[in-house]
Amino acid sequence: MRKWTRQDYQTMPWKNGGGSTTELAIFPGGASLDHFVWRLSTAEVSSNGPFSHFAQIDRTLAILSGDGLILHSDSEHSHGQSVFLKQDSLPHQFRGETPINAELLHGTVLDLNMMTRRDVCTHHMQRLEAGKHFIEANDAQQLLLFCAKGSARLTTGETLQDYDCCLFEEEHEHKGIRLNLQADEDSVLYLIRIQFLNMGDS
């Protein structure tokens, strides 16, 4: 297991001045935006505007704070529909090539953003609240666990505090990953399963 805390993160302003991004974790470590396999980050969105174009990237977005966002898209896949995202919404997955304009509902929003390279791996983001959780990710080679609010404890004794992020990796091929955790009252965590493609070809 690898763990990151607030002291490990780096925040970078957007080129268009519409917000800033904080990188939580990236794989492989030290990879650039052009060469990552996956990347988990938060973004502070302070103005309306278009999302960046990421070719061959699948993305998932969740709202951590603020009133929320409306995602407007006119792509052939969305049929011109808009998506409303708030803190209690399910994470929203979309393609990095999709032209999307983000509209703030009321003021600045902080979001969580997972990106994976489509020809290498897939991902699934799940929101967890207070209580006991037994995670059985049989098809995953990696798991990310991000504590967005509150705290949680693993049965192994590890504790996650506000904004801690942990990476768990499959120890034996085709055995998956299992976690047992207790999330404290009013806590919110995000679990991201990462499955690499063509694992059986080696």
Side-chain angles (χ1 to χ4, degrees), residues 113-171:
N113 176 36
M114 180 67 181
M115 297 193 288
T116 51
R117 197 163 297 282
R118 191 175 302 131
D119 60 351
V120 179
C121 61
T122 63
H123 75 273
H124 175 75
M125 183 187 291
Q126 179 183 0
R127 188 178 191 266
L128 304 177
E129 297 183 339
K132 293 182 179 180
H133 301 277
F134 177 65
I135 292 104
E136 195 170 20
N138 294 324
D139 295 329
Q141 284 74 54
Q142 294 177 323
L143 283 181
L144 283 167
L145 185 62
F146 175 65
C147 185
K149 178 184 176 185
S151 58
R153 295 177 305 280
L154 301 173
T155 53
T156 55
E158 186 68 48
T159 299
L160 280 80
Q161 303 290 342
D162 194 26
Y163 269 61
D164 286 353
C165 183
C166 290
L167 171 65
F168 305 87
E169 300 194 78
E170 185 180 50
E171 294 182 2

Side-chain angles (χ1 to χ4, degrees), residues 1-2 4 25-29 36-40 114-117 120-125 135-145 166-179 190-197 199:
M1 186 199 79
R2 182 172 179 189
W4 297 272
I26 195 166
F27 182 82
F36 68 82
V37 171
W38 57 254
R39 182 177 187 253
L40 182 67
M114 180 67 181
M115 297 193 288
T116 51
R117 197 163 297 282
V120 179
C121 61
T122 63
H123 75 273
H124 175 75
M125 183 187 291
I135 292 104
E136 195 170 20
N138 294 324
D139 295 329
Q141 284 74 54
Q142 294 177 323
L143 283 181
L144 283 167
L145 185 62
C166 290
L167 171 65
F168 305 87
E169 300 194 78
E170 185 180 50
E171 294 182 2
H172 304 286
E173 192 172 353
H174 305 305
K175 295 296 184 182
I177 306 171
R178 290 166 180 79
L179 294 180
Y190 287 90
L191 177 76
I192 300 139
R193 294 170 168 85
I194 301 167
Q195 182 177 3
F196 285 80
L197 306 179
M199 288 297 294

Side-chain angles (χ1 to χ4, degrees), residues 30-116:
S32 68
L33 279 179
D34 294 325
H35 298 100
F36 68 82
V37 171
W38 57 254
R39 182 177 187 253
L40 182 67
S41 61
T42 61
E44 185 178 89
V45 185
S46 55
S47 64
N48 301 336
F51 277 8
S52 297
H53 181 274
F54 286 97
Q56 296 301 311
I57 298 295
D58 290 323
R59 303 181 61 177
T60 299
L61 206 68
I63 303 299
L64 301 180
S65 67
D67 288 338
L69 285 172
I70 307 174
L71 305 183
H72 301 284
S73 173
D74 55 3
S75 75
E76 60 183 18
H77 300 290
S78 68
H79 304 291
Q81 295 180 347
S82 297
V83 175
F84 288 74
L85 279 181
K86 298 184 178 182
Q87 290 186 48
D88 58 354
S89 300
L90 292 174
H92 176 64
Q93 190 162 15
F94 58 98
R95 297 166 69 91
E97 301 92 342
T98 303
I100 289 178
N101 271 282
E103 178 187 350
L104 294 165
L105 287 175
H106 299 288
T108 299
V109 159
L110 185 68
D111 66 42
L112 181 68
N113 176 36
M114 180 67 181
M115 297 193 288
T116 51

